[in-house]
Amino acid sequence: MNKIFMFEALRSAIDEEMSKDETVLVIGEDVGHYGGSYKVTKDLHLKYGDLRILDTPIAENSFTGMAIGAAMTGLRPIVEGMNMGFLLLAFNQIANNAGMLPYTSGGNYQIPIVIRGPGGVGRQLGAEHSQRLETYFQAVPGLKIVACSTPYNAKGLLKSAIRDNNPVLFFEHVLLYNMKQEIPDYEYTLPLDKAEIVKEGKDITIITYSRMRYHVLKAVDRLIEKNVDPEVIDLISLKPIDMDTIIKSIQKTHKACIVEECMRTGGIASEIIARVNELIFDYLDSPIIRLSSQDIPTPYNGLLEQNTIVNSEQIINAIIKQLNI
Amino acid sequence: MATWKHGWELWERLTERNMNKKNLLFPLRSLSCFDQLCLKHCIRSQPSASRKTCNSEFMESRRTLLRRYSASSSEYYFPGAIGAPYTDKLELIAGEKEGRIPCFRIMNELGEVSSAIEKEYHPDHQVEPSMMTSMYQHMLKLHVMDTMLYSAQRQGRISFCMTSFGEEATAIGSAAALETADVIFGQYREQGVLLWRGFTYRDFCNQCCGNALEPAKGRQMPVHYGSKELNFVTISSPLATQIPQASGYAYGMKLSRSKNITVCYFGEGAASEGDFHAALNFAATLECPVLFVCRNNGYAISTPAKEQYRGDGIAGRGLAYGIDSMRVDGNDLWAVYFAVKEAKRRILETNRPLLLELLTYRGGHHSTSDDSSRYRQKNEIELYSERLSPLRRMKHFLAFRNCWNDEMDEKYIEEQRKELLTALEEAEKAPKAPLEDLFNDVYDQLTPNLQRQKTMLFEFLERQKRPTHSS
């Protein structure tokens, strides 16, 4: 066991998969000798060469399309978006091609592509660099979406994503790259479609993902002092959502609160609430609350930016209100 | 079988009807696609014929054309390439030519103007000495501002900065050749254009500090300047998004018969984006009065130009779209100035776009989040920043004409530094936008959804007694 940063965990996942399987390659801007803008692919080009760690010109739609084409012929590309917001340029390729081709070709073409990169609201990066794309992509059929939140799950999930034969969107968070955690030396993978029960409890189910996990945990420490025992679930898989874990939890606690970083309208929470209503409405004692970001572009100004996303105090407030304490 | 003769027959029929009108406004849309193309080509190759009322000249040009494209030849003219002659040689047009497109330059590294320069674009014949000095002073101001805002970021006073070291001549030279009424769509390295137009140090510092005094009220990152008054559209981070917007804006200007043009700046890296292709194609087919200025500074973060494209730079692409293009020494203030002046004149005359490639060098890092010593050699940076520097050659040019010297240089730089420091200090102290502003301008008016979110937020803040103002 040794303590490493999240970006190092991601790098070791890519390194291990590339050394095992020579069809795996990395495509992106400045991933080669520059090492990637968050250092995830640092020095990999020395080991695997310029063709397997491929630097591209600046054309996201085109190199995503290129990766999809390569995937159809048997390669397993990992596309790095310098910032997930730039993937909006590649939306056409991802939605119309990666998501659809296995289906429209009658299963004749598989697209084992992984598209990864940093997203989420950082520290004063301005609106275009603070995009959360998970909600836009969750409606696209044929895609799998995963959001990692710790170095341990980042490595395990990325390895599974690379081995998976479907297109996987792998969302990292720009502020979590410098997180340190001990991870095992032995090889391990994590399933792409299972949520993680971070803490067991009985009073209320808190569902979250990515960086909001840490705000939730901070809130939970304070709630425990007030004798509340929440159960915290980290979604991990945003598409398909692990409804089994959520259902079992709500059947136990009968109340739920969803904390997400994406915008309120059409967010991940809206999907979960709709499904819970359909499947286990009778188990709920009160409506599910969702805490999400405001429906506005993220401003640069520090105070305004802080008030755009959810903070732990809002979480504590909402839960106390729901539990009538 | 449609031949060239067909186009001329149509022409005859229509001109008989419109013979006495000055401008031939044919009901073009009523003709078939092929007919339209034939006619358009006829008119273009015989521009004077469009205002013809004199029969004999018209008949002469008609005869010439009929001789050239006589019905006896078995030549077809496909809609895709009307006028393309047939050949019986299996020869490829080389993709990577031997020779490069030549680069227009007026003064060399030492500020000496070549004796072969024509009078129309010789600075001594066309520019007043006071204007020459003013242009150099603006280049110095830009350099000082960049240096100090960069240090301010390093000291933690602002959060981010991008400099334009080495590209001072591209910004000031082009801005000086334009009017403030010409609309600018920039990428993020054109603060010199704003500086020339009158954006003050206070304005720049307000934006970098993100306070409430700047036009965007602190909503965008530093260096994402914008000024409606100075006709500089707010910078947007993703690359090349501004290029199709510039084509569109120019189209609007054409419809409103404006006497001004749209100017769009971008780097050679951004020219790899799909938006570049679409924008140039549209500008050419819709005939938009837009000037595309590519600052080819050799690097896109760490990607060198030789990995960005294989063709002959960006100027080489104009031909593919049917856009006139030119390559200019971007470190030569005069070449940039006269090239842009001539470009604007041409665009207003023909209503067609133009592509200028300014060859220059990015003297600094991509931004404060980059360290370019990791991917380029120090001696390379020094070569361009010193020997080929735009500031150095302009200083020599002025010194030779006794308009400037080292002492004046030092004094001016010191003055500007003090001014900028004062502006930065004031901008730091100025108030930031209040929290009430959070939901404004998402739409022109608050929607019920946003009104509810605002109410909820302020109720929460009241209860928790959290700050509603930045300290």
Side-chain angles (χ1 to χ4, degrees):
Chain A
M1 298 276 264
N2 56 341
K3 243 183 168 185
I4 59 171
F5 289 110
M6 161 96 83
F7 67 86
E8 290 171 337
L10 292 163
R11 190 190 312 150
S12 89
I14 298 176
D15 198 357
E16 283 174 22
E17 290 305 302
M18 285 184 81
S19 62
K20 274 177 105 129
D21 182 354
E22 55 178 22
T23 59
V24 179
L25 63 145
V26 177
I27 299 179
E29 292 161 17
D30 295 300
V31 294
H33 59 100
Y34 193 70
S37 17
Y38 291 94
K39 298 291 147 276
V40 173
T41 53
K42 185 162 183 233
D43 291 340
L44 288 180
H45 74 293
L46 295 171
K47 207 167 158 189
Y48 299 107
D50 289 330
L51 219 48
R52 285 182 76 191
I53 307 280
L54 189 64
D55 269 332
T56 65
I58 310 175
E60 289 77 6
N61 196 38
S62 310
F63 66 69
T64 309
M66 198 178 98
I68 293 172
M72 287 198 270
T73 59
L75 292 177
R76 305 187 81 89
I78 304 169
V79 175
E80 170 167 318
M82 192 179 277
N83 186 293
M84 286 308 236
F86 303 154
L87 286 193
L88 288 168
L89 279 144
F91 209 113
N92 181 26
Q93 286 290 344
I94 297 173
N96 278 332
N97 292 312
M100 282 193 194
L101 223 38
Y103 182 80
T104 56
S105 68
N108 281 309
Y109 288 103
Q110 296 295 315
I111 307 198
I113 186 178
V114 175
I115 302 175
R116 50 156 292 270
V121 176
R123 291 210 208 288
Q124 296 194 273
L125 296 178
E128 296 102 342
H129 289 105
S130 310
Q131 293 279 35
R132 289 130 284 164
L133 300 190
E134 49 272 18
T135 45
Y136 308 155
F137 284 114
Q138 69 167 331
V140 178
L143 296 181
K144 288 193 179 179
I145 307 180
V146 164
C148 65
S149 49
T150 66
Y152 176 78
N153 65 32
K155 181 173 176 185
L157 290 168
L158 188 53
K159 282 170 78 82
S160 301
I162 296 170
R163 293 183 193 185
D164 196 288
N165 283 330
N166 298 288
V168 179
L169 259 57
F170 194 91
F171 284 93
E172 299 149 14
H173 197 287
V174 67
L175 291 180
L176 293 181
Y177 281 123
N178 286 329
M179 248 205 86
K180 249 187 165 161
Q181 191 186 22
E182 273 198 6
I183 63 165
D185 293 328
Y186 55 79
E187 201 188 2
Y188 68 97
T189 57
L190 291 171
L192 285 181
D193 53 1
K194 289 269 166 302
E196 180 188 332
I197 301 184
V198 184
K199 175 194 172 302
E200 299 218 7
K202 57 177 174 34
D203 289 336
I204 182 170
T205 303
I206 308 179
I207 302 167
T208 182
Y209 67 93
S210 191
R211 182 166 175 247
M212 286 293 132
R213 168 185 172 133
Y214 298 96
H215 289 265
V216 166
L217 290 176
K218 222 165 112 187
V220 161
D221 286 338
R222 294 270 298 279
L223 285 168
I224 288 178
E225 288 166 20
K226 296 183 198 282
N227 286 325
V228 178
D229 184 24
E231 177 151 295
V232 179
I233 299 180
D234 184 337
L235 280 171
I236 304 289
S237 172
L238 302 178
K239 189 176 170 77
I241 298 182
D242 181 6
M243 287 310 294
D244 284 337
T245 309
I246 296 177
I247 288 173
K248 277 206 197 69
S249 175
I250 293 182
Q251 284 171 335
K252 194 169 46 163
T253 64
H254 307 288
K255 295 177 206 64
C257 170
I258 311 177
V259 180
E260 57 181 4
E261 198 175 316
C262 54
M263 268 84 76
R264 175 177 248 97
T265 304
I268 303 289
S270 55
E271 180 58 30
I272 297 177
I273 294 175
R275 291 195 199 184
V276 167
N277 276 350
E278 284 165 4
L279 299 170
I280 50 164
F281 179 71
D282 293 325
Y283 282 89
L284 285 173
D285 282 349
S286 53
I288 304 181
I289 302 178
R290 61 176 173 169
L291 296 169
S292 350
S293 298
Q294 312 286 12
D295 282 317
I296 64 175
T298 313
Y300 165 75
N301 175 313
L303 178 69
L304 298 187
E305 185 186 56
Q306 275 167 33
N307 282 290
T308 315
I309 59 173
V310 180
N311 54 51
S312 359
E313 299 218 1
Q314 282 172 325
I315 302 172
I316 297 170
N317 248 6
I319 291 178
I320 287 177
K321 209 166 149 197
Q322 197 177 21
L323 296 176
N324 275 321
I325 296 174
Chain B
M1 179 176 108
T3 64
W4 201 245
K5 193 167 170 243
H6 179 71
W8 278 99
E9 281 167 357
L10 267 173
W11 172 273
E12 273 187 302
R13 265 186 283 135
L14 289 164
T15 45
E16 266 170 50
R17 264 188 260 159
N18 294 309
M19 209 52 136
N20 291 320
K21 294 191 185 154
K22 281 225 175 108
N23 264 327
L24 285 167
L25 298 164
F26 307 113
L28 273 181
R29 276 181 226 289
S30 59
L31 301 174
S32 77
C33 204
F34 178 68
D35 288 347
Q36 284 182 43
L37 284 160
C38 278
L39 257 173
K40 277 189 185 161
H41 201 88
C42 280
I43 298 166
R44 260 194 217 139
S45 54
Q46 292 287 295
S48 54
S50 66
R51 296 204 172 81
K52 283 242 138 310
T53 46
C54 173
N55 231 0
S56 58
E57 247 180 274
F58 176 74
M59 294 301 282
E60 178 53 46
S61 53
R62 182 175 170 273
R63 256 172 270 152
T64 319
L65 264 131
L66 279 176
R67 247 179 279 137
R68 217 193 296 166
Y69 303 108
S70 66
S72 60
S73 76
S74 58
E75 288 177 326
Y76 292 70
Y77 296 92
F78 293 104
I82 293 188
Y86 286 97
T87 170
D88 48 21
K89 300 238 175 330
L90 179 64
E91 269 170 357
L92 292 171
I93 304 171
E96 294 192 65
K97 295 201 320 244
E98 278 294 314
R100 302 291 212 169
I101 295 173
C103 181
F104 175 58
R105 171 193 255 206
I106 292 181
M107 66 176 172
N108 65 14
E109 293 100 73
L110 300 169
E112 294 160 350
V113 176
S114 153
S115 52
I117 295 294
E118 305 265 344
K119 218 165 146 212
E120 288 93 58
Y121 37 88
H122 196 300
D124 290 319
H125 293 281
Q126 301 289 340
V127 186
E128 296 291 315
S130 57
M131 167 80 157
M132 291 182 185
T133 320
S134 170
M135 285 166 85
Y136 177 64
Q137 283 174 333
H138 277 87
M139 284 166 75
L140 278 183
K141 279 176 85 134
L142 176 59
H143 191 91
V144 165
M145 183 175 83
D146 278 345
T147 314
M148 298 195 62
L149 285 178
Y150 188 87
S151 321
Q153 194 277 342
R154 284 288 178 250
Q155 294 162 23
R157 289 169 86 170
I158 59 176
S159 69
F160 180 77
C161 184
M162 294 179 94
T163 57
S164 55
F165 294 134
E167 299 182 51
E168 292 89 354
T170 62
I172 305 293
S174 50
L178 299 166
E179 293 170 356
T180 306
D182 295 314
V183 179
I184 308 279
F185 281 80
Q187 182 164 302
Y188 46 52
R189 232 183 270 285
E190 296 86 16
Q191 52 269 39
V193 175
L194 265 176
L195 194 64
W196 176 267
R197 289 190 172 188
F199 215 54
T200 62
Y201 283 156
R202 281 292 298 279
D203 293 326
F204 283 110
C205 292
N206 282 341
Q207 201 284 333
C208 285
C209 294
N211 65 36
L213 299 174
E214 64 112 358
K217 300 168 213 155
R219 296 213 185 110
Q220 253 294 19
M221 286 176 81
V223 310
H224 286 60
Y225 308 111
S227 167
K228 191 131 189 241
E229 304 168 332
L230 300 178
N231 285 315
F232 191 98
V233 178
T234 308
I235 302 291
S236 169
S237 311
L239 294 177
T241 49
Q242 74 276 15
I243 316 181
Q245 289 167 9
S247 296
Y249 200 104
Y251 189 71
M253 280 178 130
K254 179 172 88 158
L255 292 180
S256 63
R257 297 181 202 280
S258 167
K259 292 279 176 296
N260 293 99
I261 62 170
T262 310
V263 182
C264 181
Y265 293 85
F266 49 90
E268 86 287 355
S272 293
E273 283 281 8
D275 276 346
F276 169 84
H277 157 77
L280 261 70
N281 201 28
F282 274 115
T285 53
L286 299 175
E287 298 184 356
C288 312
V290 50
L291 172 61
F292 296 109
V293 180
C294 176
R295 291 176 294 98
N296 188 336
N297 63 16
Y299 285 91
I301 306 191
S302 72
T303 310
K306 66 171 163 37
E307 282 172 33
Q308 193 68 247
Y309 52 72
R310 277 293 148 82
D312 188 3
I314 311 302
R317 296 184 196 175
L319 181 64
Y321 299 108
I323 296 181
D324 292 339
S325 28
M326 186 159 136
R327 172 172 283 162
V328 179
D329 181 349
N331 281 12
D332 174 352
L333 184 70
W334 297 125
V336 175
Y337 176 76
F338 286 108
V340 171
K341 241 187 152 58
E342 172 64 13
K344 177 174 171 179
R345 191 193 64 77
R346 285 264 195 104
I347 292 173
L348 284 174
E349 192 180 273
T350 61
N351 244 349
R352 301 248 267 278
L354 223 130
L355 173 63
L356 278 187
E357 180 182 23
L358 307 181
L359 292 182
T360 177
Y361 189 81
R362 194 191 80 205
H365 308 300
H366 166 73
S367 70
T368 46
S369 311
D370 175 46
D371 173 16
S372 58
S373 62
R374 276 185 297 185
Y375 52 82
R376 7 182 231 191
Q377 302 291 344
K378 208 162 164 224
N379 52 11
E380 180 192 295
I381 307 175
E382 273 167 16
L383 165 72
Y384 288 97
S385 306
E386 267 135 62
R387 221 189 88 198
L388 297 168
S389 144
L391 288 167
R392 184 170 170 266
R393 62 178 88 173
M394 199 46 199
K395 188 161 104 172
H396 284 309
F397 175 91
L398 289 175
F400 190 69
R401 286 153 183 75
N402 292 320
C403 296
W404 199 260
N405 57 42
D406 282 334
E407 207 189 297
M408 289 167 84
D409 216 52
E410 270 177 42
K411 194 161 154 258
Y412 191 78
I413 290 178
E414 196 45 49
E415 271 170 26
Q416 296 308 310
R417 276 176 46 92
K418 288 207 183 80
E419 255 189 64
L420 187 85
L421 265 174
T422 321
L424 184 59
E425 279 160 19
E426 284 174 16
E428 281 172 325
K429 292 197 209 102
K432 304 276 197 287
L435 208 46
E436 275 84 42
D437 194 51
L438 185 63
F439 294 91
N440 293 345
D441 300 321
V442 179
Y443 295 97
D444 57 354
Q445 281 164 10
L446 277 183
T447 55
N449 169 41
L450 286 180
Q451 185 62 61
R452 219 173 302 129
Q453 289 180 8
K454 186 173 179 182
T455 314
M456 272 169 49
L457 175 67
F458 276 90
E459 272 173 13
F460 167 75
L461 290 172
E462 251 235 28
R463 239 178 309 135
Q464 300 296 110
K465 303 206 178 20
R466 280 170 74 100
T468 53
H469 251 85
S470 318
S471 45

